Amino acid sequence: MQHDDDEHDPDGVSLSSEWSRLEGLRQTRLDALTAIDEAAARIASGEGGICSVCGRPIAPERLEARPQATTCIDCAP
């Protein structure tokens, strides 16, 4: 049997599986940082706190819990 990498541990995951998992975690963090940067830009431009779907204010409690929220609770997916 041939494996994807030369350092496969028969009792553990392959290195390629571990790299794939770590890349997924890295991308998730980058996406979260991008969303927070976009929220900060909206706040700086005076557009923060307004639902992108209905145009109503987003509840302060929602923004406290999810600063990157772009929708109110009613419009949230």
Side-chain angles (χ1 to χ4, degrees), residues 19-75:
W19 278 110
S20 184
R21 184 185 73 81
L22 291 173
E23 177 58 23
L25 290 173
R26 186 185 77 81
Q27 190 59 52
T28 298
R29 296 293 168 117
L30 287 175
D31 292 346
L33 289 173
T34 298
I36 290 170
D37 287 344
E38 290 170 353
R42 283 192 303 277
I43 290 168
S45 71
E47 298 174 13
I50 303 298
C51 178
S52 63
V53 175
C54 70
R56 294 187 313 234
I58 300 172
E61 298 82 9
R62 177 164 171 77
L63 290 173
E64 186 176 327
R66 292 185 43 111
Q68 73 278 20
T70 59
T71 59
C72 65
I73 291 287
D74 292 336
C75 296

